[in-house]
Amino acid sequence: MKKKVLIGLTIVFFVMITSIFIYQQNQKSKVFNELPNYTDDKQKIVVDGFKYKEQPHIGNSNAKVKVIEFGDFKCPACKKWTSENFNKFKREFIDTGKVEFYFMNYAFIDRDSYLAGAAGESIYHQNNEKFWEFYELLYKNQGKETEIWATPTFLIQLVKDNIKGIDQKQFELEVKNHTYLHSVKEDYKIGGFYGVNGTPTFIVNGKILRSSSYEDIKASIQKELK
């Protein structure tokens, strides 16, 4: 009798574990189906400069120095640079009119990198100033690099709770439809063409830097200002 009960419990346990595994796999599949892939974009890309006028920007448009950050919102090093340096960089170079600063996507870590980049593009196309709120907000709420976290549900709720002054319904629709995937892929192709191979990478007046340290960026800017 005890043996039959033990066998029965073992079968029940096995069925439960199998059901949980199948459920988790179905959930993962559902999440992946919501994410874009670069192969989804069939539009032609022509690399012809950095297309400054099409990028999120902050600072004096007449600044002598143009600095581009190529970043991936899932990149821990990008988060570190932003949290440690962005406000200092803004005070020293952007607010003083010395630098106009741009952000371009080099989304490569995973498919939710592409979606995070596309979400940023959606906000930028509504309001350039709001993009910079999103830029800092998303890095502050960055998940683990090895996990899929920048899902439509996460991004839509994060923006709804924290960013005012944009059309939330439009943002939600554009995130779900991957409206700006082409812009993200185009940035990626431009970056690769000009030598970007990781994040964050900085371009100062068209010249790529092989260091992301604040002091090296500062030295490069000061050289351009002379």
Side-chain angles (χ1 to χ4, degrees), residues 6 18-19 25 36 49 58-59 72 80 92 95 110 129 164 176 196 206 217:
L6 183 61
T18 302
S19 298
Q25 292 302 112
I58 185 171
D72 183 321
K80 187 173 188 293
E92 188 169 0
D95 293 345
D110 213 326
E129 285 70 30
K164 310 304 176 186
K176 289 181 176 178
V196 177
I217 297 168

Side-chain angles (χ1 to χ4, degrees), residues 158-214:
L158 184 70
V159 169
K160 182 180 179 181
D161 291 343
N162 295 279
I163 298 181
K164 310 304 176 186
I166 66 165
D167 186 328
Q168 298 287 347
K169 289 185 179 180
Q170 180 181 333
F171 174 73
E172 180 176 345
L173 186 65
E174 289 176 347
V175 167
K176 289 181 176 178
N177 290 339
H178 314 154
T179 301
Y180 290 103
L181 176 63
H182 177 72
S183 297
V184 177
K185 183 178 178 180
E186 184 177 52
D187 283 359
Y188 177 78
K189 292 291 186 180
I190 290 171
F193 182 84
Y194 288 106
V196 177
N197 59 12
T199 53
T201 293
F202 293 87
I203 309 288
V204 178
N205 278 356
K207 304 178 186 74
I208 190 168
L209 302 187
R210 291 305 177 190
S211 168
S212 60
S213 81
Y214 190 86

Side-chain angles (χ1 to χ4, degrees), residues 52-81:
Y52 289 98
K53 292 182 179 179
E54 298 177 16
Q55 314 305 338
H57 54 277
I58 185 171
N60 180 8
S61 61
N62 295 316
K64 187 176 180 180
V65 182
K66 310 290 186 185
V67 177
I68 302 171
E69 176 197 350
F70 276 92
D72 183 321
F73 286 114
K74 287 193 68 172
C75 165
C78 296
K79 175 182 178 177
K80 187 173 188 293
W81 192 92

Side-chain angles (χ1 to χ4, degrees), residues 37-51:
N37 202 324
Y38 279 151
T39 56
D40 298 337
D41 176 54
K42 308 300 182 185
Q43 296 183 59
K44 185 177 180 180
I45 294 174
V46 177
V47 177
D48 182 21
F50 293 107
K51 300 185 178 181

Side-chain angles (χ1 to χ4, degrees), residues 87-198:
N87 286 322
K88 177 172 61 173
F89 184 88
K90 187 173 180 294
R91 288 192 303 269
E92 188 169 0
F93 294 109
I94 298 172
D95 293 345
T96 56
K98 296 175 182 177
V99 165
E100 187 173 19
F101 187 70
Y102 300 81
F103 178 85
M104 293 181 69
N105 296 285
Y106 193 77
F108 72 100
I109 292 174
D110 213 326
R111 285 170 59 183
D112 56 332
S113 296
Y114 315 156
L115 187 62
E121 291 287 334
S122 174
I123 290 181
Y124 160 63
H125 280 86
Q126 285 200 48
N127 188 314
N128 176 64
E129 285 70 30
K130 294 295 177 180
F131 169 83
W132 296 100
E133 291 183 25
F134 176 83
Y135 169 87
E136 292 193 82
L137 176 69
L138 195 53
Y139 280 134
K140 285 178 182 176
N141 290 273
Q142 187 184 80
K144 292 182 179 179
E145 183 181 9
T146 55
E147 295 179 359
I148 299 296
W149 56 268
T151 62
T153 300
F154 174 84
L155 292 165
I156 290 164
Q157 193 63 50
L158 184 70
V159 169
K160 182 180 179 181
D161 291 343
N162 295 279
I163 298 181
K164 310 304 176 186
I166 66 165
D167 186 328
Q168 298 287 347
K169 289 185 179 180
Q170 180 181 333
F171 174 73
E172 180 176 345
L173 186 65
E174 289 176 347
V175 167
K176 289 181 176 178
N177 290 339
H178 314 154
T179 301
Y180 290 103
L181 176 63
H182 177 72
S183 297
V184 177
K185 183 178 178 180
E186 184 177 52
D187 283 359
Y188 177 78
K189 292 291 186 180
I190 290 171
F193 182 84
Y194 288 106
V196 177
N197 59 12

